[in-house]
């Protein structure tokens, strides 16, 4: 079945540093969605990527979809404490999420 | 607009007791998902329904877990008998079933089995 793996599992960064998490699939994805879960909260939709090579930006967040539509990345520029949380990607077929990447920002 | 509504928000129960978690999806959404989240295993998909029919329950850990969706506006996840290893946050989520639609999560049910 379709498997989406995310790395790293954990990341600690100093406030102001950049952060990147990667999502890799064993099969071609029709689209990919990214979600953020704040500590104690529930996952909330951030963005969806559909086209090969697509790049989308939301303020300091940059999302990319690979040319082969098998991988994706989320890059945060100059992290802030409000970025703390767990970031999940999901390839669409079975809507599975996995462990995500837990981001800790040190003030 | 009301989001996905889950109850109870928190439950502490003794091992061996039956636990029933409830979910009301967003009106008009025809896909419903139950997830379990733990530190070790992350966010696991337990089961999902489409138009009230269970489509994939391969994530249900064992026979102690069962889920039903008697109508479009209500679903339950039942654990009987509960065990301490079932302690987790259980999320219900819903979406409109067509490619690319956002999944909306409830706030979760925090279960502790002692």
């Amino acid at each position: 079945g379709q498997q989406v793996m995310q790395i790293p599992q954990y990341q600690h960064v100093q406030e102001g540093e950049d952060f990147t998490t990667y999502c890799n699939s064993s099969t071609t994805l029709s689209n990919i969605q990214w979600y953020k879960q704040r500590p104690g909260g529930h996952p909330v939709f951030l963005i969806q990527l559909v086209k090969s090579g697509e790049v989308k930006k939301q303020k300091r967040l940059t999302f990319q979809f690979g040319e082969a539509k098998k991988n994706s990345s989320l890059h945060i520029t100059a992290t802030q404490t409000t970025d703390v949380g767990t970031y999940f990607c999901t390839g669409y077929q079975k809507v599975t999420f996995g462990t995500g990447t837990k981001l800790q920002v040190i003030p | 607009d009301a989001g996905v509504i889950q109850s109870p928000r928190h439950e502490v129960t003794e091992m061996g007791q039956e636990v029933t978690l409830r979910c009301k999806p967003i009106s008009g959404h025809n896909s419903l998902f139950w997830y379990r989240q733990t530190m070790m295993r992350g966010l696991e998909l337990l089961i999902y329904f489409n138009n009230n029919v269970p489509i994939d329950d391969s994530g249900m850990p064992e026979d102690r877990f069962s889920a039903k969706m008697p109508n479009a506006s209500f679903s339950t996840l039942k654990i009987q008998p509960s065990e301490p290893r079932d302690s987790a946050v259980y999320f219900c989520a819903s979406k409109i079933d067509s490619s690319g639609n956002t999944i909306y999560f409830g706030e979760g049910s925090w279960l502790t089995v002692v």
Side-chain angles (χ1 to χ4, degrees):
Chain A
Q2 202 170 54
Q3 295 273 341
V4 176
M5 305 299 292
Q6 201 171 341
I7 54 170
Q9 199 166 343
Y10 300 96
Q11 181 98 50
H12 292 78
V13 298
Q14 206 71 36
E15 189 173 18
E17 290 182 342
D18 291 356
F19 158 77
T20 305
T21 174
Y22 300 90
C23 206
N24 297 301
S25 171
S26 56
T27 58
T28 301
L29 302 170
S30 57
N31 57 53
I32 197 158
Q33 296 184 345
W34 286 91
Y35 290 75
K36 177 183 178 181
Q37 183 180 21
R38 295 183 186 275
H42 58 280
V44 174
F45 175 78
L46 291 177
I47 208 158
Q48 176 176 275
L49 304 171
V50 179
K51 298 177 184 174
S52 168
E54 189 171 12
V55 178
K56 286 188 177 180
K57 291 192 175 185
Q58 288 180 350
K59 297 182 180 178
R60 295 177 294 103
L61 277 61
T62 302
F63 302 83
Q64 285 191 304
F65 203 7
E67 293 289 341
K69 300 182 74 174
K70 286 187 175 183
N71 53 65
S72 180
S73 65
L74 158 58
H75 180 83
I76 303 178
T77 304
T79 54
Q80 299 176 358
T81 54
T82 53
D83 297 322
V84 165
T86 303
Y87 294 84
F88 295 95
C89 59
T90 179
Y92 199 71
Q93 301 266 354
K94 200 174 171 181
V95 206
T96 55
F97 286 88
T99 56
T101 296
K102 189 171 183 178
L103 172 64
Q104 187 62 255
V105 178
I106 305 162
Chain B
D1 286 344
V4 176
I5 300 171
Q6 291 187 245
S7 65
R9 290 294 317 280
H10 299 270
E11 177 146 346
V12 179
T13 191
E14 290 186 346
M15 184 173 64
Q17 296 297 306
E18 178 179 290
V19 173
T20 300
L21 308 179
R22 298 173 177 80
C23 176
K24 177 178 168 51
I26 293 172
S27 177
H29 285 195
N30 58 348
S31 288
L32 182 140
F33 307 82
W34 282 101
Y35 294 91
R36 177 174 68 177
Q37 187 171 38
T38 60
M39 288 287 291
M40 291 298 295
R41 300 174 70 90
L43 191 57
E44 302 175 272
L45 176 65
L46 299 178
I47 186 170
Y48 81 91
F49 295 84
N50 184 253
N51 293 321
N52 313 337
V53 176
I55 301 301
D56 187 340
D57 65 354
S58 59
M60 295 287 263
E62 48 198 275
D63 291 345
R64 296 184 299 106
F65 286 70
S66 61
K68 293 183 180 179
M69 192 165 185
N71 58 62
S73 59
F74 184 66
S75 177
T76 58
L77 178 67
K78 191 171 290 188
I79 309 172
Q80 167 64 19
S82 58
E83 297 182 3
R85 60 192 169 120
D86 301 329
S87 298
V89 184
Y90 291 83
F91 287 104
C92 177
S94 71
K95 73 175 182 74
I96 300 170
D97 183 33
S98 61
S99 180
N101 281 307
T102 302
I103 305 159
Y104 294 86
F105 283 79
E107 294 189 339
S109 292
W110 297 65
L111 174 65
T112 303
V113 183
V114 297

